[in-house]
Amino acid sequence: MKRPLIITWICIIGFISIIFTFPAVFSPSVKKLGDFVPALYGFLVAGSFIAYIGLWHMKQWGVQLFLVIFFIKTLFLMSINDYGPGTISGIVFSVIFTGVFLKFYPKMDLNL
Amino acid sequence: MNAQIFADSHFVYLICAHLRDINGASNSKFTSNHSFNEDKQFPCNFTSMLFLTLLKESVFFAWHSLAANKLRTFLSLLGITIGIFAIIIVFTIVDSLENNIRGSIQSLGDNVVFVQKWPWTFGPNYPWWKYMNRPVPAYDELFDIQKKTKTAQAVAFRIGGRKTMKYKSNIVENASLAGVSYDYYKIKSFEIQEGRYFTEGEVSAGYNVCILGSKIANGLFPNNPYPIGEQIKIAGKKAYVIGLFKKEGESMLGNTMDHQVVVPYNFARLILDVKSEQSDPYIAVKAKPGVSNAQMIDELTGIMRGVRHLKPMADDDFALNETNLISKNFDVLFDIIGMAGWIIGGFSILVGGFGIANIMFVSVKERTNIIGIQKSLGAKNYFILLQFLCESVFLALIGGIIGLLLTYGITFLARGSIDMEIALTKSNIILGITISVLIGIISGFVPAYSASQLDPVEAIRST
């Protein structure tokens, strides 16, 4: 299936957000939260990146991985009591993106 | 090349094992040039076992590929090495300085308020001309506070100055001399290594006794590790050594006991000008357990205004300073330094990541026909993906480890030359390894995925 324009745009936004999120992995503020917090946060960022690659190629595993990462990321942000405007807007956008992905999910490729 | 051939034959063995399971072990018609144990039985959870075996094989492939191109490997991991080194060295230095300063502040006391002439912090509209005319805290005010306070656990007075210490022909110039009241030991944390602290009688009577810091003791008594009972001269006045402070090391705030000579206040006032601002007199007040600094400041404000006979509308003519004011200022400074290291290191890592992604694309291009052969023999897409992903993670991890080793080497050398604890901490090691693995995953995933999606027929045909 040819990639719909809306997924292309979502993936571009996702890649741009990853470029800005990645440096936060080793930022002093995240480091202060605990020894393993940057590692966990980093793997969430890497997971998001891989999910967007999957979505770019219209793969079902991309949507599945996106949902898993979104769920863990939300739990992680709640555990550190981060309810800032950035977090809330991130959750809202992720929910909207999920709706779009699920709309096209049945037409996506099942294979890796 | 030999390594590649060996890796390929090893892969054929694996595929045979995989297909043997699919077709049934008894009617397997696949053979390989690798030793193959026909009686080998796979466990029930074969899929997970196969995955682990494939992962092991991917690592094996990756290792041989990196070993086969040593110079290319070295150049690609250099970017990551420099990036990890830049970030971790900055974080290590910042952490060490922060620990040192926090230790120094803690030695002053977390719940201690200092009654002084000047405030430690001030804003842009700082009325310094008003503060100029304030009196310095006096020794008598100590007793007023001691009598009236209900929130303080201990109250002490201190004055200081720089004087010359002399023992026979050994001289220490500009040594820090502190004259203290008896309760000083309840506020300032220090350890006495040899001898003892002052008695209450010695302090009130102003006995000529002193306790020496380790650097001063080394300067005055280079060949005598136990100078207790010896007589030294402080600015020409005789004093007997009754104790030695335990060595503390250098302090960023300069409040280490190593460079200090502490004497009773009533002896110090014979040497120092107690009314002079140069002596920096202050009263330190330590709160009782469960009493907050804010509560104590409220009480101290009332007591000091009473002691100084200030009218209701008059401004305070004293400052009440807290140690957390210092730590707040340093927090801002360390955040800035950490941020600078983060930006510099971040860019280095970004460049390193692009380097690895580039080299992985070259690697995929070079091995396209091998990928084709592997896929035509039945290799799954995820095996090809894992193979290249492992290679990039390996590359980044080796770069990161070299960066961490460099950081460790620098801190090890620095420890010998600086009298301050600089250590590569566990959290920084974890951070360095995490960043390396992440860079490996992020920069290697796209080339690895493109390799996994290659058409076997077209891949075999490619040259």
Side-chain angles (χ1 to χ4, degrees), chain A residues 22-28 31-32 35-36 38-39 42-43 46 49-50 53 57 59 61 112, chain B residues 87 91 95 335 342 346 381-382 426-428 430-431 434-435 438-439 441-442 445-446 449 453:
Chain A
F22 182 72
V25 173
F26 45 96
S27 70
K31 196 169 160 268
K32 276 178 190 165
D35 287 354
F36 290 95
F43 283 107
F49 175 74
I50 293 170
I53 299 276
H57 290 276
K59 302 286 179 179
W61 60 261
L112 180 75
Chain B
I87 286 185
F91 282 160
D95 286 353
D335 281 350
W342 174 48
N381 284 355
Y382 71 83
K426 186 184 81 184
S427 67
N428 283 334
I430 294 170
L431 186 71
T434 305
I435 298 170
L438 283 178
I439 283 290
I441 293 172
I442 290 176
F445 190 82
V446 175
Y449 189 73
Q453 299 297 303

Side-chain angles (χ1 to χ4, degrees), chain B residues 1-16 32-34 53-54 56-68 367 370-371 373-374 377 379 383-384 387 391:
Chain B
M1 192 61 190
N2 286 340
Q4 191 61 58
I5 291 166
F6 178 66
D8 291 345
S9 64
H10 210 74
F11 169 74
V12 172
Y13 153 70
L14 261 173
I15 297 299
C16 289
S32 80
N33 57 353
H34 196 85
T53 317
L54 287 178
K56 196 180 92 184
E57 282 303 303
S58 305
V59 173
F60 175 82
F61 264 83
W63 175 254
H64 278 282
S65 168
L66 296 177
R367 281 149 54 189
I370 295 169
I371 294 165
I373 293 166
Q374 289 179 343
L377 282 167
F383 175 73
I384 306 292
Q387 189 183 315
E391 191 171 323

Side-chain angles (χ1 to χ4, degrees), chain B residues 34 106 138-139 171 191 213 263 338 343 376 395 423 432 450 453:
Chain B
H34 196 85
Q106 219 165 9
Y139 188 62
I171 296 171
E191 282 183 60
V263 297
I343 292 166
S376 63
L395 202 61
S450 65
Q453 299 297 303

Side-chain angles (χ1 to χ4, degrees), chain B residues 230-241:
Chain B
E230 296 287 353
Q231 188 192 70
I232 65 166
K233 280 190 175 173
I234 303 172
K237 302 268 181 202
K238 287 176 189 170
Y240 292 92
V241 180

Side-chain angles (χ1 to χ4, degrees), chain A residues 2-23:
Chain A
K2 193 175 176 289
R3 187 176 56 249
L5 191 64
I6 187 154
I7 292 191
T8 304
W9 277 109
I10 290 174
C11 288
I12 290 169
I13 292 167
F15 290 132
I16 292 169
S17 74
I18 284 162
I19 291 170
F20 285 104
T21 317
F22 182 72

